[in-house]
Amino acid sequence: MTTYSLRKAAADKIKTDALVVGVCTSAKGLQVAPGGEDVASAYGRKLTPLLSTLGFSGKAGEVVKVPTGGVVKSPVLVLVGLGDRDALTTEKVRRATGTAARAITNAASVALALPAHDAEHVRAVADGYLLGSYAYAEYKTAEPPARPGEVVLLTDRAKTKDAQTALETAQVVATATCLARDWVNTPPGDFTPEKFADAVSATKKSSKAKVTVAVTDEKALEAEGCGGIIGVGRGSANPPRLVRLSYKPRGAKAHLALVGKGITYDSGGLSLKPGPSMVTMKCDMAGAAAVVAATFAIAELGLPIAVTTYAPMAENMVSGSSTRPGDVLTMFGGKTVEVLNTDAEGRLVLADALVKATRDKPDLIVDVATLTGACVVALGDRVAGVLGNDPDLVAQIRGAGEKAGEALWPLPITDEMTEKVRTNSKVADLAQHNTERWGGTLYAAAFLQEFVDGARWAHLDVAGPAFNEKGPHGYTPSGGTGIAVSTLVELAADLSAR
Ligand code: BES
Ligand code: MN
Ligand code: ZN
């Protein structure tokens, strides 16, 4: 266990194993970033030549470790690039802190002398370290490197309430993000719908959050008429589940409904994916992981927002009992859907859950889903798409994403797509899949929109940023990223402030 604390102390005098300072570029050359002034004066004129000998340019993503030889009390100085001094943002601080955290591999104690002059920056530094030091070692037989026992954030505001709150909030939200990462990273054979539902129940047991959890099994789902969840899950030996969470604080200012796609593995079903596309498909429950983890975080923070969360969980597999392209499913609430491609399964499990969410009469519904490869084509693997039926809500979510450091970009739901959803099936009410591949993200969202009954709703397509197939960067690890947890908590905070 690592303890985090705020302290007002001189960075050059503090005795820790590793001391972190930021370095900015500026017209006058490299400069130590705010927070590192004491270290800069301890080194005096020696610092610039040292940095140039190291070939350190101050760019974001750069990090070097140097022995201090007694210039400051700490034996190791960690210098991390922050880029242009005039373009410094909280997000750049958050990312640089993450980069520094990843570089620190064997320190029992760490002090961070980074820009932390106000609560917002304290939050960014805490977020960066907490998220950047994440590692998934559950299946590694080798002993993982020891984590520091103590991380101290140096700030002049250490004694203030707002800085303390910023640190506590960072700990709650980062813990939730890392929980979502763990769930995504767990091998899919060990994280079936039943096991995922058990993990949610276990989290509730160990959490202080006042959240209730209800799990619906396959028999009850069948009896209730959840044709989407049953239809997708029927090809698997591991039956589906629907998990519902509820947080109802006194004096709630609004009622937020969350829905997350929980496909614990997506083989594509009978419309089988090519082998290489299947490799990362344990990430297909990242939406469910995010909405569940965010619900616990919102409750733990005690935000005055009621939250009802639905996580439909199923495994999309191939067998003699799989749903076939051509089959018609009756969704919860009665609408019929012709399945044309069993690999477009996410929208089917979400449809049942969205209808359920709508029946609770929330003020707004937000769903999160690794829904379409088309969204990755459109926006790349670091930007999520956001679509919906209310431009103000889309703007509000983008604002929350901005604060959270999660990039979201709007895409439209056109009348043309809605028309296709409603007319492309010759036998059922709705066509699940568009045989024309262009605009696949728009079509999928237009399909989901048929199940929200006019309620204010937004959809986050996180197929790109949910899973990092490449190396780590900033505070983002390889594998599960925990995308959307932070944005959803910011959204709830924003709703409570309105
Ligand atoms: N889970 C996938 C989407 C996905 C792709 C997530 C890449 C993460 C990374 C989804 O179920 C899927 O297979 N979508 C199909 C839809 C198509 C059949 C209309 C796709 O995008 O190819
Ligand atoms: Mn699929
Ligand atoms: Zn999928």
Side-chain angles (χ1 to χ4, degrees), residues 261 263 266 268 271 273 277 280-281 283-284 316 341-347 369-376 432-434 437 440 443-444 461-464 466-467 469:
K261 172 176 172 181
I263 299 299
D266 183 11
S271 313
K273 284 184 185 295
S277 314
T280 58
M281 279 304 134
C283 83
D284 219 15
N316 191 23
N341 185 321
T342 62
D343 197 12
E345 81 298 337
R347 62 198 72 177
T370 47
L371 205 62
T372 65
C375 200
V376 194
Q432 168 237 21
H433 171 65
N434 190 7
R437 57 193 277 254
Y443 188 92
D461 192 329
V462 297
F467 197 83
E469 290 186 52

Side-chain angles (χ1 to χ4, degrees), residues 89-467:
T89 60
T90 51
E91 177 59 13
K92 286 184 184 170
V93 171
R94 192 185 281 133
R95 289 186 188 185
T97 313
T99 300
R102 286 188 291 105
I104 297 168
T105 44
N106 189 25
S109 58
V110 175
L112 306 172
L114 288 161
H117 46 278
D118 61 18
E120 230 178 285
H121 284 80
V122 168
R123 172 76 194 269
V125 171
D127 279 347
Y129 204 95
L130 286 154
L131 295 170
S133 54
Y134 173 85
Y136 186 74
E138 223 50 51
Y139 289 77
K140 293 277 191 195
T141 51
E143 193 64 35
R147 304 282 186 84
E150 191 187 25
V151 175
V152 178
L153 281 70
L154 299 176
T155 171
D156 285 348
R157 302 193 55 86
K159 293 264 145 52
T160 65
K161 185 95 208 306
D162 62 346
Q164 281 296 339
T165 305
L167 174 59
E168 284 157 23
T169 306
Q171 287 180 287
V172 171
V173 181
T175 302
T177 300
C178 292
L179 175 66
R181 289 174 176 180
D182 278 347
W183 285 347
V184 170
N185 288 331
T186 306
D190 289 347
F191 213 63
T192 59
E194 185 184 8
K195 288 187 171 155
F196 189 0
D198 288 348
V200 177
S201 301
T203 303
K204 185 237 136 57
K205 279 216 183 86
S206 65
S207 159
K208 298 180 295 261
K210 287 196 176 110
V211 172
T212 61
V213 176
V215 179
T216 310
D217 69 10
E218 75 275 22
K219 285 195 200 80
L221 286 168
E222 178 90 62
E224 286 179 8
C226 286
I229 300 170
I230 292 293
V232 172
R234 61 184 296 148
S236 172
N238 305 301
R241 293 287 182 269
L242 176 65
V243 173
R244 180 183 194 269
L245 284 74
S246 164
Y247 165 59
K248 276 192 198 161
R250 276 169 188 272
K253 296 227 173 72
H255 180 188
L256 167 66
L258 298 175
V259 175
K261 172 176 172 181
I263 299 299
T264 59
Y265 192 70
D266 183 11
S267 73
L270 288 174
S271 313
L272 194 63
K273 284 184 185 295
S277 314
M278 236 184 260
V279 177
T280 58
M281 279 304 134
K282 66 175 182 181
C283 83
D284 219 15
M285 35 56 73
V291 297
V292 170
T295 306
F296 283 114
I298 291 165
E300 208 169 307
L301 293 171
L303 295 177
I305 296 292
V307 185
T308 311
T309 299
Y310 289 93
M313 299 165 179
E315 191 180 37
N316 191 23
M317 297 295 267
V318 184
S319 77
S321 59
S322 294
T323 292
R324 311 151 187 82
D327 277 345
V328 171
L329 303 175
T330 302
M331 316 308 265
F332 184 72
K335 285 189 177 160
T336 59
V337 171
E338 184 179 11
V339 175
L340 298 166
N341 185 321
T342 62
D343 197 12
E345 81 298 337
R347 62 198 72 177
L348 299 173
V349 300
L350 290 170
D352 287 339
L354 285 169
V355 174
K356 291 220 167 201
T358 306
R359 300 252 171 115
D360 295 329
K361 298 266 174 262
D363 298 305
L364 69 161
I365 305 174
V366 179
D367 79 71
V368 183
T370 47
L371 205 62
T372 65
C375 200
V376 194
V377 174
L379 300 175
D381 63 0
R382 293 197 190 181
V383 180
V386 51
L387 306 93
N389 59 9
D390 181 337
D392 291 340
L393 177 58
V394 168
Q396 190 180 6
I397 292 173
R398 291 194 66 209
E402 180 95 30
K403 271 191 126 180
E406 296 182 329
L408 303 159
W409 199 257
L411 293 169
I413 302 177
T414 58
D415 292 346
E416 174 215 6
M417 289 295 183
T418 295
E419 185 64 16
K420 284 185 175 155
V421 169
R422 291 180 184 169
T423 56
N424 272 8
S425 172
K426 295 190 179 73
V427 295
D429 297 339
L430 303 171
Q432 168 237 21
H433 171 65
N434 190 7
T435 44
E436 185 193 335
R437 57 193 277 254
W438 315 121
T441 308
L442 284 54
Y443 188 92
F447 180 85
L448 296 180
Q449 186 172 231
E450 295 300 307
F451 297 92
V452 300
D453 194 25
R456 285 182 82 214
W457 155 80
H459 157 65
L460 309 189
D461 192 329
V462 297
F467 197 83

